[in-house]
Amino acid sequence: MREGEFEVLSGNQTILSSLDAKGVRTRRIANDFLEFQATLVNTSSGDLHFQWIVEWSDAQGFKLEDPTQTWQAAYLNGKALLDIQRVSPTATASKARVRVMAMNEIK
């Protein structure tokens, strides 16, 4: 659940016990925005139904709001993969993490 020195996944602990993040990468793109890529892996043989969103923070750890982003539903069969890719809302973003919640969990 950790890649390098920062937390990649956060949120619902039940879901996180069966979810991992692989191939986590970031890079600076046009206008110095941060691009984030990761593959979410269902490590269990059972199905996972959850929602996810990428959260951004600046170099000081302050959360950056992204009014254009919405929670995404995901249904992963046992051992399935989900590739995700997002671009930060501002050039001040320095970190990204994937937050997961159960489908019926209040946001």
Side-chain angles (χ1 to χ4, degrees):
M1 285 196 215
R2 295 179 70 83
E3 183 80 14
E5 295 187 19
F6 63 95
E7 182 180 22
V8 175
L9 294 171
S10 68
N12 183 295
Q13 293 302 310
T14 301
I15 295 169
L16 291 177
S17 68
S18 298
L19 197 63
D20 199 4
K22 301 287 184 187
V24 177
R25 300 185 306 175
T26 59
R27 68 177 174 177
R28 293 286 170 186
I29 59 172
N31 296 323
D32 212 27
F33 284 68
L34 187 65
E35 182 179 30
F36 171 81
Q37 294 180 344
T39 300
L40 301 183
V41 181
N42 180 355
T43 59
S44 75
S45 57
D47 297 340
L48 277 180
H49 195 199
F50 60 96
Q51 56 186 343
W52 63 272
I53 197 166
V54 174
E55 295 180 330
W56 303 95
S57 58
D58 65 16
Q60 289 78 35
F62 287 95
K63 185 177 176 181
L64 301 172
E65 296 297 327
D66 185 353
T68 66
Q69 188 170 222
T70 60
W71 286 87
Q72 302 295 308
Y75 186 86
L76 291 180
N77 293 324
K79 306 298 181 184
L81 310 174
L82 174 65
D83 292 323
I84 61 173
Q85 181 176 353
R86 292 289 185 267
V87 175
S88 66
T90 70
T92 59
S94 65
K95 294 180 185 172
R97 70 177 180 174
V98 180
R99 183 164 180 76
V100 298
M101 296 212 285
M103 290 303 294
N104 59 354
E105 200 170 341
I106 296 174
K107 298 181 263 187

